[in-house]
Amino acid sequence: MQAGRPTRSDALLALAVFCLMAAAVVTDAGPAGRAVVAYAFAAGFGALILASRRCPVGALAATAAGLVVYYSFDLPPVGLAAPVAAALYAAAYHGRPFTAAGIGAALLLVSVSFRLIEGDDVSYVLGIALGSDAVLMVAVIALGDATRSRRALRAQMASQAAAAADERRREAARQVDIERIRIARELHDTLGHTMSVITLQSAVAEEALDAGSAADARRAVTTIGDAARSAMSELRATLGTWLGRPGTREPPPGLDRLGALTDNVTRSGLPVDLKITGDVKGVPTVVGTTAYRVVQEALTNALRHAEASQVTVLVRAAATELNLEVRDDGRGAPNGRLIEPGHGLRGMTERVTLLGGTVHAGNVDGGGFRVQAHLPLKRAAR
């Protein structure tokens, strides 16, 4: 049952209560006036069944009181459990089983007392009548409480299932966002560096053509072509992975490709001195890829903003961490910060932070700008 307007089942139950009481009255109707009053009470008990959905405890109390009044008028016997069973069930279903049990017990006590006072057989009253009425009352109260518990459990399980489904949807959306951010970061790192090289080399080629130096122009164009092909290769691999195309995934760039990266920048007109110390062969792939991206972004910023004549890249592999330093001799940044702290610096910091490392970027005393990164290592046991 749910609180609210009576349903068809309530109407059928009310009709059943009226018919049961009417059948009992017919068997011992007596005078016509006595029968009319009994039928009126039967109709009233049925009406209380209709009210039990909206006010279960009130309907139960009214039914119990009505039974006491009914028997005080010496009307035909109709029993106890039948008129009050539905009201007991409704009270228990709506979370008041102890109230229903208390009212039922009080009603039994009043009934037994009246019967004994009127001289009914003690063994029948205490043995058969009391036992049957008590068992029926306990049964309907237990049924109402069990039904309430079962429906509450179903509602809780449905709510938990809906919450779990909602959480799965949120997690799926979060994973999609994470993947989009990762791909955007990869594209930024790759294309940002490549476009810086292409822009610089285009200017070199233009100056060489103006000066009549075909060899310098050819070298600049070759560097542009190499950078563009490398960027296209990484772009196809990244998009292929995003689209789920097999055979498009290439190994991510790592420490083994730092030499090619720095040589490319050197050919672009900004000399880079790369120094690697320590055993870098055992560096995990994810750490090596992160280190590569940090150096790539630092060199890109040097190409774009530093106006430097020399860049030094230091890579030191220790037992527990990988240390990176990219330092240029350029003009530095206002207030010691990058001129444009956009996606590059944020992406660099996010990559390193995910591995439990740290990044520091700022001006250097005496001129220039420096990016330092510390990446923890968890080497496999040998």
Side-chain angles (χ1 to χ4, degrees):
M1 292 184 180
Q2 296 178 345
R5 299 179 61 183
T7 63
R8 181 180 299 179
S9 61
D10 295 329
L12 292 175
L13 185 59
L15 179 61
V17 170
F18 172 77
C19 290
L20 286 174
M21 293 190 65
V25 171
V26 168
T27 61
D28 187 16
R34 183 169 178 263
V36 170
V37 175
Y39 290 137
F41 269 95
F45 288 132
L48 288 174
I49 297 302
L50 298 177
S52 63
R53 183 176 293 271
R54 186 178 298 275
C55 185
V57 175
L60 174 59
T63 301
L67 278 173
V68 173
V69 174
Y70 179 90
Y71 282 110
S72 67
F73 287 166
D74 194 26
L75 296 173
V78 293
L80 284 180
V84 82
L88 288 171
Y89 173 87
Y93 178 82
H94 286 88
R96 305 296 292 272
F98 295 108
T99 301
I103 294 176
L107 191 58
L108 285 174
L109 179 61
V110 171
S111 173
V112 169
S113 300
F114 269 102
R115 286 189 174 189
L116 293 177
I117 292 174
E118 291 178 354
D120 288 354
D121 183 69
V122 175
S123 59
Y124 173 79
V125 173
L126 299 180
I128 299 177
L130 177 61
S132 61
D133 289 341
V135 168
L136 182 56
M137 287 183 177
V138 170
V140 295
I141 292 173
L143 178 61
D145 189 58
T147 303
R148 177 189 60 82
S149 300
R150 186 174 65 253
R151 291 193 177 181
L153 179 60
R154 288 179 179 176
Q156 182 181 8
M157 293 177 63
S159 177
Q160 291 175 347
D166 189 53
E167 179 62 26
R168 286 193 296 270
R169 286 192 294 270
R170 287 198 299 268
E171 179 62 19
R174 190 178 71 87
Q175 291 299 327
V176 170
D177 290 340
I178 291 174
E179 184 65 11
R180 287 175 176 170
I181 292 172
R182 185 191 69 80
I183 292 172
R185 187 184 297 128
E186 291 287 341
L187 294 178
H188 172 272
D189 291 344
T190 300
L191 298 182
H193 176 77
T194 302
M195 294 307 298
S196 296
V197 172
I198 289 175
T199 300
L200 184 59
Q201 287 299 316
S202 297
V204 171
E206 184 178 358
E207 292 177 359
L209 290 173
D210 291 340
S213 176
D216 290 341
R218 185 176 295 107
R219 283 194 296 270
V221 172
T222 300
T223 301
I224 290 174
D226 292 340
R229 282 188 292 272
S230 176
M232 286 301 298
S233 177
E234 287 199 41
L235 180 60
R236 282 193 297 268
T238 300
L239 294 180
T241 301
W242 189 16
L243 298 174
R245 295 174 180 170
T248 57
R249 182 67 173 174
E250 294 185 358
L255 296 177
D256 58 329
R257 292 173 59 178
L258 282 180
L261 175 65
T262 56
D263 289 345
N264 194 24
V265 175
T266 298
R267 288 195 298 270
S268 300
L270 178 59
V272 179
D273 182 19
L274 173 64
K275 298 179 181 179
I276 300 178
T277 59
D279 178 18
V280 297
K281 294 182 179 179
V283 173
T285 301
V286 65
V287 177
T289 300
T290 300
Y292 178 91
R293 293 304 188 190
V294 169
V295 173
Q296 184 183 51
E297 180 59 30
L299 292 177
T300 300
N301 288 328
L303 282 170
R304 288 179 175 177
H305 312 301
E307 299 180 4
S309 60
Q310 177 72 35
V311 178
T312 301
V313 178
L314 302 178
V315 180
R316 293 187 294 272
T320 59
E321 66 178 4
L322 182 71
N323 299 305
L324 305 174
E325 180 178 324
V326 181
R327 177 174 177 174
D328 64 62
D329 60 355
R331 58 188 177 88
N335 300 321
R337 302 178 64 184
L338 289 179
I339 297 175
E340 295 179 1
H343 295 290
L345 181 58
R346 285 199 297 269
M348 179 193 303
T349 303
E350 289 171 0
R351 289 178 183 274
V352 175
T353 302
L354 284 175
L355 299 181
T358 57
V359 175
H360 301 283
N363 290 340
V364 181
D365 293 339
F369 195 83
R370 177 171 57 195
V371 175
Q372 292 177 305
H374 306 281
L375 299 169
L377 296 178
K378 294 182 179 179
R379 298 178 181 271
R382 295 182 177 178

